[in-house]
């Protein structure tokens, strides 16, 4: 009864977390084809803020990720001479 099942669960941990974190994301149909590598950004927000962000994105017909990418592009534009 205490034997572990050999069946893999839905959320198995990667064998090598470092390479998994640094690996590029699989291309998304919405992704910009010019972007060769993306990195995941995790932030802590209150449940209320998360709800407001999701509602705003829905009202604009966007995903939260696309809306936040546009916000970051506006707030932090690429400077001349800086690699893209």
């Amino acid at each position: 009864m205490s034997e572990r099942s050999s069946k893999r669960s839905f959320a198995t941990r990667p064998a090598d977390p470092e390479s998994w974190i640094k690996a590029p994301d699989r291309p998304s149909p919405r992704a910009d084809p010019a972007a060769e590598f993306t990195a995941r950004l995790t932030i802590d927000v209150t449940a209320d803020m998360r709800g407001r962000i999701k509602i705003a994105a829905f009202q604009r017909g966007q995903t939260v990720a696309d809306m936040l990418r546009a916000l970051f592009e506006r707030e932090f534009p690429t400077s001349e001479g800086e690699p893209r």
Side-chain angles (χ1 to χ4, degrees):
M1 282 289 228
S2 63
E3 188 177 314
R4 278 190 154 174
S5 170
S6 62
K7 183 179 175 186
R8 294 185 74 163
S9 67
F10 174 74
T12 57
R13 293 177 186 235
D16 182 14
E18 281 300 313
S19 66
W20 177 72
I21 290 168
K22 293 176 183 174
D25 293 337
R26 282 186 240 143
S28 150
R30 295 185 193 127
D32 178 11
E36 292 181 21
F37 181 79
T38 61
R40 189 163 311 277
L41 175 66
T42 303
I43 60 169
D44 295 322
V45 296
T46 62
D48 182 56
M49 174 64 75
R50 180 176 179 261
R52 292 194 319 253
I53 292 168
K54 289 177 76 172
I55 289 170
F58 178 76
Q59 289 173 336
R60 296 173 188 182
Q62 295 180 294
T63 64
V64 171
D66 289 340
M67 186 179 76
L68 291 175
R69 283 185 200 105
L71 171 72
F72 291 146
E73 279 294 322
R74 270 195 323 270
E75 293 298 317
F76 307 104
T78 304
S79 301
E80 284 297 317
E82 199 176 296
R84 280 202 106 210

